[in-house]
Amino acid sequence: MQSIETIIIFPTSDGNHFKSHVCQGICTECDGTYSIQFLKTKKWFDERRFRLSPGDQLSAPESNRDFTVTDVMFAAKRPKYVIVTAALSSKAPIIGASEMSGGLAS
């Protein structure tokens, strides 16, 4: 049985998209490579004027995993869901992914 997870797509440094987007997706793992099928279509991404590309950062907070996109494709049949191939990210935590605290010393 497949489980649906919340996937966060983080902003890119090249300006491809400027804010985080949240989508539902189905994440499956095979030999250390992850395939994530977003439950949003190509049209949904086009309407929001951003595209996924290799190197983009994703997070699945429910399973505490961070990913780096390696490939982007679209389902052959309708609905044309977006499917990405990703690798687990071994980078430092993504800025904005967790709460930050701090303040001025008294």
Side-chain angles (χ1 to χ4, degrees):
M1 181 174 170
Q2 298 175 337
S3 63
I4 297 173
E5 297 184 54
T6 300
I7 307 292
I8 301 170
I9 305 166
F10 290 103
T12 61
S13 59
D14 66 357
N16 182 19
H17 47 276
F18 298 104
K19 66 178 188 173
S20 296
H21 288 69
V22 178
C23 300
Q24 299 296 314
I26 299 170
C27 183
T28 55
E29 189 260 337
C30 181
D31 298 328
T33 302
Y34 290 83
S35 175
I36 302 169
Q37 177 181 334
F38 289 103
L39 300 180
K40 298 290 183 184
T41 61
K42 180 182 182 305
K43 182 179 179 180
W44 185 89
F45 282 89
D46 289 345
E47 287 173 347
R48 281 146 187 84
R49 296 190 174 123
F50 81 95
R51 67 185 188 285
L52 287 169
S53 57
D56 286 354
Q57 298 293 307
L58 311 174
S59 179
E62 296 165 358
S63 58
N64 200 22
R65 296 181 289 190
D66 293 326
F67 301 100
T68 302
V69 175
T70 57
D71 190 26
V72 180
M73 58 198 125
F74 305 101
K77 296 182 180 181
R78 292 191 185 269
K80 292 193 178 260
Y81 288 132
V82 175
I83 302 167
V84 299
T85 304
L88 278 178
S89 180
S90 59
K91 293 183 176 183
I94 300 168
I95 296 172
S98 62
E99 292 183 5
M100 296 177 65
S101 61
L104 298 173
S106 306

